């Protein structure tokens, strides 16, 4: 007699960083995985990084690397090999003076990595499993949570496409549709806070040395910060020897800079060393052509509905980027969820027809227990990281230089 092998089905909404890694975890446990994303496949699409409206590179830290190590497949090693370690902050003063602040005395570091490349590596890893199917160009419109049904609009045709699964995983980011569906069926506590600052990305190009080789214009093993108390600029290194700078500033201040002349005057006053590093033309082009993003923090609870849906990553806890932990925390969500599923021995095999009812209801209550436990344990930690991220905004733009600032002011005041 043939062995019965039907598997539990999961639908993951969002093939971003968190959705892609989650699909690897589910695939490894034997789930039948369908991943949907409204975007085209980043591996074939020509979308420039700036069109994606997100940071070009990001910092991956121990929290995220640990979650990658759990899946094996050489993912963590691949990332660490291609990443650029940043062992501390480099503070840029008004005079162009730079001072290094190490992250630790034992060489601790965070790692700069290209966002798109990380997403592609995770998608490739997911698709190496025969039980994973990717669907790009599918936008989630609604869910019938009690039925486990997710309704998508196929972008190419405008037609509706419905899947019915055992579990829906919402990894659809800060403006999550899954979270909105969850709100309709649970007593969700929810808060969303926009900060007054927007961000804009600029590029410091590689420079040529006397041998005609491309080299970094600054030390690549630091996260560079130009803290100016009410605003700041940071820069992270890229593999191609460029740096991606991010200017964080109140929206009104962005709007007040309306001409190339006022932009150059602003940089001359606040970031004089950065003009030569970025280049006048690149600076004005980048500032006026690149998109500006808003920044918000989202907290909510619960993260699940019965045994039917759970939200992960930014869908559950979007945070301001100043602690560099949004993606890292999303990766840790997956690790925590699977620790609970494994501890409670939630199986992935569907019982054969005939034995279905009793075994099935046991599975559903076990899954609900796991998701209850996930919300209970994860919410406190996720809120703490959101709060630390908000606090670190003040730390990065101001506290890192407070003593220097006060010292200089004292000198100036006589
Ligand atoms: P996303 O990356 O937003 O992915 C969500 C996916 O869902 C997208 O692909 C989207 O197309 C898809 N989607 C959305 N709606 C639907 C729908 N209705 N139907 C189908 N698909 C849908 N984090 C760090 O850890 N380190 C850093 O250094 C760092 N730097 C940052 C810098 C900036 C400027 C910003 C803005 C963020 C930074 N972050 C950083 C945070 C990090 O970008 C996010 O936490 C991370 O991208 C969250 O991943 P996610 O998969 O949950 O969501």
């Amino acid at each position: 007699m043939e062995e019965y092998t039907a598997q539990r089905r999961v639908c993951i909404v969002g093939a971003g960083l968190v959705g892609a890694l989650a699909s690897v975890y589910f695939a490894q446990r034997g789930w039948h995985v369908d991943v949907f994303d409204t975007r085209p496949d980043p591996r074939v699409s020509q979308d420039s990084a700036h069109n994606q409206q997100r940071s070009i590179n990001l910092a991956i830290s121990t929290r995220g690397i640990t979650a990658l190590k759990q899946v094996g497949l050489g993912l963590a090693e691949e990332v660490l090999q291609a990443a650029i370690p940043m062992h501390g902050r480099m503070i840029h003063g008004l005079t162009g003076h730079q001072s290094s602040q190490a992250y630790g005395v034992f060489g601790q570091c965070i790692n700069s990595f290209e966002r798109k490349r990380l997403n592609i590596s995770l998608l490739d890893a997911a698709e190496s499993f025969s039980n994973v199917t990717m669907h790009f160009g599918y936008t989630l419109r609604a869910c019938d949570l009690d039925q486990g049904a997710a309704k998508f609009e196929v972008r190419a045709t405008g037609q509706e496409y419905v899947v019915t699964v055992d579990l829906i995983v919402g990894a659809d980011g800060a403006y999550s549709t899954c979270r909105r569906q969850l709100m309709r069926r649970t007593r969700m506590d929810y808060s969303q806070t926009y900060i007054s600052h927007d961000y804009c990305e600029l590029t410091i190009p590689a420079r040529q040395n006397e041998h005609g080789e491309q080299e970094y214009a600054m030390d690549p093993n630091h996260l560079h910060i130009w803290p100016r108390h009410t605003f700041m600029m940071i820069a992270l290194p890229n593999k191609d020897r460029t740096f991606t700078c991010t200017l964080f500033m109140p929206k009104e201040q962005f709007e007040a800079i309306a001409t190339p002349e006022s932009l150059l005057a602003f940089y001359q006053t606040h970031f004089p060393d950065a003009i030569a590093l970025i280049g006048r033309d690149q600076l004005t082009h980048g500032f006026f052509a690149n998109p500006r993003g808003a920044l918000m923090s989202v907290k909510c609870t619960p993260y699940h509905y019965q045994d039917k849906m759970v939200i992960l990553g930014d869908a559950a806890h979007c945070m301001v980027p100043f602690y560099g932990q949004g993606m890292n925390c999303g990766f840790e969500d997956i690790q925590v969820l699977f620790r609970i599923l494994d501890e409670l021995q939630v199986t992935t095999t569907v019982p054969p027809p005939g034995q279905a009812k009793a075994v099935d209801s046991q599975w559903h209550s076990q899954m609900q227990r796991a998701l209850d436990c996930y919300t209970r344990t994860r919410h406190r930690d996720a809120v703490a990281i959101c709060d630390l991220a908000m606090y670190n905004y003040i730390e990065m733009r101001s506290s890192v230089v407070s003593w220097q600032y006060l010292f200089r002011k004292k000198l100036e005041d006589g």
Side-chain angles (χ1 to χ4, degrees):
M1 206 174 84
E2 228 176 86
E3 208 185 322
Y4 184 78
T5 53
Q7 297 300 305
R8 295 283 170 190
R9 293 190 61 161
V10 60
C11 152
I12 299 178
V13 185
L17 299 168
V18 172
L21 182 62
S23 61
V24 178
Y25 269 74
F26 276 101
Q28 283 185 323
R29 301 303 193 285
W31 288 72
H32 180 107
V33 187
D34 282 286
V35 186
F36 294 86
D37 202 294
T38 188
R39 289 179 307 167
D41 187 337
R43 293 166 297 183
V44 291
S45 115
Q46 294 304 311
D47 256 11
S48 78
H50 275 309
N51 289 341
Q52 292 173 25
Q53 277 266 354
R54 269 306 176 85
S55 66
I56 290 165
N57 53 19
L58 35 70
I60 182 160
S61 64
T62 305
R63 181 171 274 120
I65 291 163
T66 307
L68 290 178
K69 278 188 179 157
Q70 287 269 311
V71 290
L73 306 173
L75 269 176
E77 293 72 17
E78 181 190 329
V79 168
L80 284 175
Q81 229 167 46
I84 303 164
M86 299 179 288
H87 294 283
R89 307 159 168 155
M90 186 70 85
I91 308 298
H92 292 244
L94 269 176
T95 57
H97 173 77
Q98 299 183 25
S99 59
S100 168
Q101 298 178 353
Y103 284 130
V105 288
F106 301 112
Q108 291 95 325
C109 65
I110 51 176
N111 304 280
S112 179
F113 202 81
E114 190 195 331
R115 176 189 289 270
K116 187 170 178 182
R117 180 164 173 194
L118 181 56
N119 201 181
I120 288 175
S121 295
L122 294 173
L123 291 173
D124 284 345
E127 264 197 338
S128 69
F129 290 88
S130 58
N131 47 333
V132 174
T133 312
M134 300 274 174
H135 310 260
F136 289 97
Y138 285 66
T139 309
L140 182 78
R141 292 293 179 215
C143 296
D144 180 340
L145 291 185
D146 289 311
Q147 297 302 317
K151 293 180 192 153
F152 294 89
E153 182 187 324
V154 185
R155 294 187 64 176
T157 59
Q159 281 175 336
E160 187 177 271
Y161 181 88
V162 183
V163 281
T164 304
V165 291
D166 296 291
L167 178 67
I168 301 171
V169 174
D172 50 345
Y175 299 94
S176 168
T177 304
C178 289
R179 187 176 64 225
R180 282 205 302 277
Q181 297 296 306
L182 208 54
M183 272 177 180
R184 296 162 69 102
R185 298 310 307 268
T186 61
R187 296 182 172 197
M188 183 183 274
D189 288 333
Y190 175 75
S191 75
Q192 175 178 311
T193 310
Y194 275 98
I195 62 169
S196 55
H197 290 59
D198 282 357
Y199 71 95
C200 173
E201 296 198 317
L202 303 161
T203 305
I204 295 179
R207 69 177 177 205
Q208 240 182 24
N209 66 18
E210 64 271 26
H211 309 295
E213 297 153 346
Q214 301 281 88
E215 64 175 20
Y216 288 103
M218 307 183 291
D219 183 332
N221 298 118
H222 279 84
L223 192 160
H224 292 260
I225 312 180
W226 288 256
R228 298 297 180 258
H229 295 281
T230 52
F231 55 91
M232 69 170 175
M233 188 168 76
I234 64 168
L236 270 71
N238 297 309
K239 265 289 183 214
D240 63 1
R241 294 180 162 63
T242 64
F243 284 84
T244 301
C245 302
T246 315
L247 175 62
F248 295 99
M249 199 162 68
K251 187 170 181 286
E252 296 71 36
Q253 212 166 342
F254 267 116
E255 284 162 1
I257 301 174
T259 62
E261 293 73 30
S262 55
L263 174 67
L264 288 171
F266 170 79
Y267 262 74
Q268 197 56 56
T269 308
H270 300 290
F271 310 114
D273 59 332
I275 299 178
L277 289 167
I278 300 172
R280 280 170 185 263
D281 291 346
Q282 284 233 37
L283 174 61
T284 44
H285 180 263
F287 184 87
F288 292 109
N290 294 345
R292 284 186 202 145
L295 296 166
M296 68 164 177
S297 180
V298 169
K299 295 174 188 167
C300 69
T301 187
Y303 296 141
H304 73 287
Y305 174 69
Q306 296 181 355
D307 59 320
K308 301 290 188 199
M309 177 186 260
V310 64
I311 52 173
L312 305 172
D314 277 16
H317 45 65
C318 175
M319 60 192 74
V320 290
F322 308 110
Y323 204 41
Q325 287 296 336
M327 171 203 63
N328 287 296
C329 181
F331 282 6
E332 193 178 56
D333 290 351
I334 305 167
Q335 203 195 336
V336 171
L337 175 64
F338 275 86
R339 197 184 64 226
I340 295 168
L341 291 173
D342 291 348
E343 272 169 16
L344 292 181
Q345 298 179 347
V346 177
T347 57
T348 58
T349 315
V350 180
Q355 305 172 16
K357 236 181 170 157
V359 186
D360 215 38
S361 79
Q362 204 184 356
W363 185 88
H364 289 294
S365 56
Q366 199 67 340
M367 188 60 165
Q368 176 158 358
R369 252 185 83 199
L371 298 186
D372 284 342
C373 178
Y374 175 73
T375 287
R376 244 190 351 265
T377 47
R378 193 60 185 150
H379 180 244
R380 221 175 31 187
D381 291 341
V383 166
I385 299 178
C386 285
D387 290 343
L388 282 167
M390 202 62 101
Y391 165 78
N392 214 43
Y393 185 32
I394 302 161
E395 164 81 13
M396 278 178 90
R397 70 183 145 98
S398 193
S399 307
V400 284
V401 283
S402 286
W403 67 270
Q404 292 164 319
Y405 175 75
L406 290 173
F407 185 66
R408 190 164 46 83
K409 191 123 186 24
K410 220 172 160 54
L411 281 180
E412 282 167 7
D413 294 348

